[in-house]
Amino acid sequence: MPAGSLLALLARRVASLGLTLLAASFLVFMLTQFSPANVARETLGAYALPEQVRALTRSLRLDDPILLRYARWGGVLLGLKADPLQDPRLGLHFTDPRGARYFGNFGYSTLFRAPVADVLWSRLANTALLGALALAVIVPLSLALGILAGLRPGGLLDRLISVSAIAMTSVPEFALGVILVAIFSVALRWLPGTSPLTTGAGWPLASQLVLPVAVLAIYDSGYVARMVRVAMIEVLGQPYIRTATLKGLSRRQVILRHALRNAMIMPFTVLMLQINWLIGGVVVTELVFAYPGFGRMLLQASLFGDVALIEAATLIALSIAILTQLLSDIGYWLLDPKARG
Amino acid sequence: MRVGRSGVAFVGLALILLWVVLALAAPWLPLPSPTAQDYAAFAHPGPSAQHWLGVDPLGRDTLARLVWGARVVLLLAPLSVLAAYAVGCTLGLLAGYYGGWTDALISRASDVILSFPVVVLYVILIANIGPSAFNIVIAVVLAAAPGVGRIVRGLARRLAAQDFIAAARLRRESGLYIMVVEILPNCRGPLLTDVCIRLGYTTIMIGTLGFLGLGLPPPSPDWGGMVQQAGPMLTVYPAMALIPAGAIISLVLGFNLLADGLSEAP
């Protein structure tokens, strides 16, 4: 891309972020129409009479064409319209302390019987903690493994690390979770097998994070380590590495000063994309360990058919994925002079 | 075949063939029915003379469920990857060969789907359209076809600029002929490794859906579902969950080792 294009890049990406969110939110809205669950039925509970469900469906205008309902949902989100479920005339007693109309109003969760905003952000914070800890393990582990393997391609250490990395990516998160719990909770009794983030059962909070973080980190480290290895082999084959060696620099200096920085470019972008994978990984991991996070909430909402919460969670997950992609593009631009043209 | 030269690929192929043979032979193996409940086995659910790998929490023979479950995953995974390839190759060829607005439309739509975290996409899809074998194929196609399409598009764009394609255009071959006969066969190499990786990943995904309770409806034997159902028994009989987990791992490992061997082979 041409020089000085960082601003243009940013502008283009923000526009595409908006468009993607618009398209994806509509896609999810369409999908939820296939679900047997419906908002009126879930709001009233399992013992509501069919007439009551029909009456609420009419008051909420759930029979309107899908585009109209989608536009109405968008209006509530942008704070242009009041959330229809909070209308006091319905007598549902759904109230949001933020008011019925504000920007970022994702509506009312029929599953948790609370405003989506009350449920969403605390769970997201729990998951962010899990993700940050996992990344703090993934980065050094995968770099170390990848660099060690890439130094002597085809050597014994390389084959050993490469096969281990393949093995690490071949274990699904749920299988790894079950295996780790069987070893460390059931057999050895060192760590708790569930992580509800409460200390009632006598396990300190830190101990509850070990196994979930291990599950997330092991699966992803194998993948990133293979990327680092490939990048390292490619960089070490470049002419400037030979020049540096011929200049009389020690192998250690060559690798630390010249090879690493260039070998970092590809893994950096991969690592940022890895955040997208982590979001998927937390759905499974949080279920295994009953962790009160964003992923398990999304799963519960999907199984229950809580449209407001599914929409909110999807948009948040997508925003995180797209923003990290943007960060990776900026990082790539900063790390690689060639990208600046 | 190139596999012969790589020890790693050989191990991978052996793992896959082991499950393929077991799956094919399932009706003739001297095994109890995968859905029959043996109430007497509850007292000792561990391995025994009647039940070599023990029974599940409902008293069903674990080995029989593993072998019949292999039929499910070995049918579903290749079928859905094939379907994803059919859709992905079509979209990729159209986008790469024609370019312009066709490319823009296909690429933007693919970008939207590829922005979804994969598991999230699967969960939302299956939770809404319902868990069934057909819907799992649909979900895999929707989630994987854009990725395949992106690879094919890149290859097709590069190939479309070459002389032999220009020659075919001069011969007045149709666009369809050029895409299918001239371009597609030349994409074979890079796609072969991708197929293996996708087979492994789809196996993980099918297992994960089963574990999340979104797999095949009971009582179909489903490896991920087996792990989920045995979960509450983990503190008492860990083997119940560990055995099906091991089965999934061995099959995925097989696909991934084969992929590695194919990509390293000259």
Side-chain angles (χ1 to χ4, degrees):
Chain A
M1 76 193 64
S5 64
L6 192 57
L7 265 179
L9 170 78
L10 274 172
R12 220 174 32 239
R13 278 319 181 100
V14 170
S16 109
L17 169 76
L19 278 178
T20 307
L21 289 181
L22 193 70
S25 65
F26 185 64
L27 193 74
V28 175
F29 203 82
M30 290 274 287
L31 262 177
T32 53
Q33 306 307 310
F34 289 102
S35 171
N38 98 33
V39 174
R41 158 67 55 197
E42 269 152 21
T43 307
L44 295 170
Y47 301 109
L49 299 171
E51 299 88 72
Q52 292 173 300
V53 174
R54 269 199 297 276
L56 185 62
T57 304
R58 249 195 324 276
S59 326
L60 293 174
R61 289 191 282 166
L62 294 174
D63 300 323
D64 286 352
I66 183 162
L67 269 173
L68 201 59
R69 276 179 294 141
Y70 177 70
R72 209 178 287 143
W73 171 83
V76 173
L77 177 62
L78 295 175
L80 305 171
K81 272 182 65 66
D83 182 4
L85 268 176
Q86 290 185 37
D87 191 337
R89 275 171 299 171
L90 293 176
L92 293 169
H93 308 293
F94 282 178
T95 44
D96 191 334
R98 297 164 199 80
R101 190 194 300 186
Y102 59 94
F103 181 79
N105 184 359
F106 280 115
Y108 216 87
S109 159
T110 48
L111 170 63
F112 291 95
R113 311 218 148 241
V116 168
D118 281 358
V119 183
L120 191 64
W121 303 111
S122 66
R123 310 245 164 176
L124 196 61
N126 286 344
T127 295
L129 172 70
L130 202 59
L133 288 172
L135 273 181
V137 178
I138 292 171
V139 174
L141 185 66
S142 56
L143 284 183
L145 289 177
I147 290 167
L148 281 175
L151 285 180
R152 273 185 221 293
L156 184 65
L157 190 63
D158 175 34
R159 287 319 295 165
L160 206 66
I161 292 178
S162 293
V163 172
S164 316
I166 294 174
M168 283 156 82
T169 49
S170 299
V171 184
E173 279 113 346
F174 70 91
L176 186 58
V178 167
I179 292 171
L180 292 183
V181 169
I183 298 175
F184 293 102
S185 309
V186 178
L188 298 171
R189 295 175 184 280
W190 287 354
L191 292 163
T194 57
S195 314
L197 296 190
T198 54
T199 48
W203 291 100
L205 288 183
S207 73
Q208 297 182 15
L209 289 166
V210 177
L211 289 183
V213 168
V215 168
L216 287 173
I218 289 175
Y219 184 82
D220 278 9
S221 296
Y223 181 76
V224 182
R226 290 169 78 183
M227 295 291 153
V228 176
R229 172 182 172 271
V230 171
M232 195 70 193
I233 293 173
E234 204 182 295
V235 167
L236 285 178
Q238 298 287 321
Y240 63 81
I241 296 295
R242 205 172 51 213
T243 311
T245 314
L246 290 175
K247 249 178 11 189
L249 293 180
S250 70
R251 185 158 172 84
R252 188 192 172 80
Q253 283 170 315
V254 172
I255 288 164
L256 289 181
R257 271 197 220 155
H258 294 272
L260 270 187
R261 181 190 150 117
N262 288 294
M264 273 322 84
I265 296 169
M266 206 243 288
F268 174 78
T269 51
V270 170
L271 209 58
M272 294 311 286
L273 293 179
Q274 216 48 31
I275 290 177
N276 202 349
W277 285 95
L278 272 180
I279 300 174
V282 294
V283 176
V284 182
T285 312
E286 289 179 358
L287 178 72
V288 174
F289 294 98
Y291 188 88
F294 177 82
R296 196 159 68 101
M297 179 201 73
L298 177 68
L299 182 67
Q300 288 171 323
S302 302
L303 292 177
F304 189 79
D306 186 342
V307 182
L309 197 53
I310 298 173
E311 277 285 0
T314 314
L315 290 190
I316 299 285
L318 276 173
S319 307
I320 296 171
I322 298 169
L323 284 175
T324 50
Q325 215 178 329
L326 175 64
L327 277 181
S328 108
D329 285 354
I330 295 173
Y332 186 77
W333 194 85
L334 292 174
L335 275 172
D336 188 358
K338 271 183 287 181
R340 285 173 245 175
Chain B
M1 203 170 167
R2 292 178 293 180
V3 174
R5 270 183 249 159
S6 158
V8 168
F10 185 75
V11 174
L13 197 62
L15 279 172
I16 299 168
L17 284 179
L18 169 76
W19 284 114
V20 170
V21 169
L22 281 177
L24 287 176
W28 294 281
L29 293 176
L31 288 169
S33 153
T35 51
Q37 290 176 275
D38 180 356
Y39 299 105
F42 277 131
H44 299 284
S48 66
Q50 286 102 13
H51 305 286
W52 290 4
L53 294 179
V55 294
D56 76 353
L58 293 176
R60 298 174 297 196
D61 186 73
T62 300
L63 184 59
R65 288 185 72 73
L66 275 190
V67 170
W68 285 91
R71 286 172 84 95
V72 174
V73 71
L74 283 172
L75 188 71
L76 267 187
L79 194 70
S80 31
V81 170
L82 191 73
Y85 256 82
V87 176
C89 285
T90 309
L91 293 177
L93 283 173
L94 288 173
Y97 181 68
Y98 287 112
W101 68 264
T102 318
D103 181 23
L105 191 71
I106 293 174
S107 296
R108 289 295 82 75
S110 302
D111 285 347
V112 171
I113 296 188
L114 287 171
S115 316
F116 276 91
V118 187
V119 181
V120 172
L121 188 60
Y122 277 95
V123 166
I124 295 176
L125 255 171
I126 299 289
N128 282 301
I129 62 179
S132 73
F134 182 72
N135 285 350
I136 288 176
V137 176
I138 300 251
V140 173
V141 170
L142 189 78
V148 176
R150 190 177 269 189
I151 300 174
V152 175
R153 171 185 174 270
L155 294 166
R157 266 177 81 97
R158 219 173 305 148
L159 288 167
Q162 291 191 6
D163 290 342
F164 72 98
I165 299 296
R169 277 209 201 98
L170 280 178
R171 290 202 310 269
R172 294 183 172 249
E173 302 286 8
S174 68
L176 184 69
Y177 176 88
I178 294 178
M179 283 188 283
V180 175
V181 180
E182 305 275 358
I183 296 183
L184 195 56
N186 283 297
C187 301
R188 207 176 42 213
L191 291 184
L192 197 60
T193 316
D194 186 68
V195 167
C196 281
I197 295 173
R198 270 183 213 282
L199 278 172
Y201 190 67
T202 306
T203 306
I204 291 187
M205 245 10 273
I206 293 173
T208 301
L209 284 173
F211 182 78
L212 296 178
L214 294 169
L216 295 182
S220 314
D222 170 88
W223 289 358
M226 288 170 74
V227 179
Q228 182 216 24
Q229 286 147 22
M233 309 287 274
L234 199 63
T235 48
V236 201
Y237 301 111
M240 256 185 212
L242 291 178
I243 290 171
I248 298 174
I249 294 169
S250 67
L251 184 59
V252 178
L253 194 63
F255 286 128
N256 284 347
L257 289 177
L258 187 61
D260 185 62
L262 287 176
S263 64
E264 303 259 309

